[in-house]
Amino acid sequence: MKSILETNLLLATKIWEIAEVAGYLWQKGWAERNGGNITVNVTETIDDDLRSRQAISDKIAIGRTLPYLKGTYFFCKGTNKRMRDLARNPMENGSLVRITDDCSSYEIIADKAVKPTSEIASHLSMHNYFIGKSSDYKAVVHTHPIDLIAMTHHPAFLQKDALSRLLWSMIPETRAFCPRGLGIIPYQLPSSFDLADATLKELDEYDVVMWEKHGVCSVSENVMEAFDMIDVLSKSAQIYLTAKAMGFEPTGMSDLQMEELKTAFNLPK
Ligand code: 2HA
Ligand code: ZN
């Protein structure tokens, strides 16, 4: 059978965009071994051929029922697969899944039976939340940026919005392009529903959240925007750490400069 990369060009464009971002995550040094995961809601690209396809896996239980996911399809990075491999060969390292009609499990439909990411329950819970509130968000990116994770090892940075304000004040772009700031989620077991639920709660207020001592989770309309928000936050963290390495505390933009930026760019916070 032909790859879906050959049979559905709209879907192929989305998958190659995911592959491009997977390559960036590896190049940034944020994706050691199988670290990180990406899921994208690709339902709008699904054609009659894909809709009528037989599953190539058993039904796999999500562990909870997600009613808004009825009739939806996702491209998911495979569990234990490497971002650097996904970048070159997305359909060997990820797969297309369909949510079953009872909304409590999924099945793989193409290209190969590559089992999705260990964080699928938290990712699907987020997608369910987006559809439930009629949001256009379709992409969830989780990765392990060294600088941002290091900062979560200091209790002062775990206070609500302490890290947001610090990172915003390092360079104007970060506030402009990550305008809802950075939420903080106290440490939870990776892949757990506790982590999923804590993340959902923070998404009311933030598009990017830190999982303490683990990584970052970013959500957006598409995978490139989700990546860009992590990239600007990491840039700010680098500026902060570079100043500290030179032996001084960076002054940061003043409150007045921050307010001026907020007004000029019509920012939400
Ligand atoms: O997929 O990063 O959090 C590997 C991970 C789990
Ligand atoms: Zn992780």
Side-chain angles (χ1 to χ4, degrees), residues 18-28 83-84 86-88:
I18 296 166
E20 182 178 345
V21 166
Y24 297 155
L25 300 179
W26 164 251
Q27 287 158 16
K28 287 272 179 190
M83 285 293 178
R84 62 180 188 261
L86 181 67
R88 282 179 292 112

Side-chain angles (χ1 to χ4, degrees), residues 216-229:
V216 63
C217 181
S218 176
V219 300
S220 191
E221 277 133 32
N222 61 64
V223 79
M224 205 59 78
E225 291 290 340
F227 167 78
D228 281 336
M229 288 190 287

Side-chain angles (χ1 to χ4, degrees), residues 32 34-37 118-119 142-144 190 195 211 214-216:
E32 74 294 341
N34 63 322
N37 25 69
S118 59
E119 299 284 5
H142 162 60
T143 190
H144 300 165
L195 179 58
W211 293 344
H214 175 173
V216 63

Side-chain angles (χ1 to χ4, degrees), residues 19-236:
E20 182 178 345
V21 166
Y24 297 155
L25 300 179
W26 164 251
Q27 287 158 16
K28 287 272 179 190
W30 299 346
E32 74 294 341
R33 197 177 183 280
N34 63 322
N37 25 69
I38 302 178
T39 59
V40 175
N41 181 343
V42 292
T43 310
E44 66 187 7
T45 70
I46 298 302
D47 54 21
D48 290 343
D49 163 43
L50 289 173
R51 216 174 291 283
S52 62
R53 280 214 199 175
Q54 295 288 328
I56 55 171
S57 74
D58 290 338
K59 290 187 166 75
I60 304 167
I62 299 168
R64 53 175 45 173
T65 303
L66 300 169
Y68 295 112
L69 296 190
K70 199 174 177 70
T72 55
Y73 292 74
F74 295 87
F75 177 86
C76 305
K77 173 182 169 279
T79 187
N80 251 318
K81 300 295 186 187
R82 293 169 170 82
M83 285 293 178
R84 62 180 188 261
D85 294 337
L86 181 67
R88 282 179 292 112
N89 202 341
M91 298 316 300
E92 295 280 340
N93 298 281
S95 57
L96 180 67
V97 309
R98 169 164 61 212
I99 305 297
T100 57
D101 281 345
D102 63 3
C103 297
S104 61
S105 57
Y106 59 87
E107 54 196 14
I108 305 170
I109 62 166
D111 279 348
K112 298 184 174 162
V114 175
K115 190 163 184 258
T117 160
S118 59
E119 299 284 5
I120 187 143
S122 69
H123 281 230
L124 291 179
S125 301
M126 288 182 244
H127 290 294
N128 182 66
Y129 166 85
F130 301 142
I131 298 170
K133 63 171 210 171
S134 303
S135 148
D136 290 334
Y137 283 16
K138 294 200 164 51
V140 176
V141 174
H142 162 60
T143 190
H144 300 165
I146 302 163
D147 37 29
L148 292 169
I149 296 171
M151 294 177 93
T152 70
H153 284 262
H154 192 318
F157 293 138
L158 299 176
Q159 301 299 317
K160 183 173 166 60
D161 291 333
L163 204 45
S164 264
R165 277 196 298 270
L166 177 74
L167 297 174
W168 275 350
S169 79
M170 289 295 108
I171 177 171
E173 272 73 4
T174 299
R175 182 154 197 197
F177 297 120
C178 187
R180 299 177 81 210
L182 181 60
I184 301 285
I185 298 185
Y187 184 84
Q188 298 280 0
L189 187 69
S191 314
S192 65
F193 279 118
D194 286 342
L195 179 58
D197 291 339
T199 305
L200 284 183
K201 237 162 81 198
E202 291 295 287
L203 291 182
D204 265 343
E205 188 175 347
Y206 304 95
D207 289 334
V208 191
V209 297
M210 281 311 299
W211 293 344
E212 180 189 340
K213 303 185 182 92
H214 175 173
V216 63
C217 181
S218 176
V219 300
S220 191
E221 277 133 32
N222 61 64
V223 79
M224 205 59 78
E225 291 290 340
F227 167 78
D228 281 336
M229 288 190 287
I230 308 171
D231 197 24
V232 293
L233 289 164
S234 170
K235 166 62 68 82
S236 275

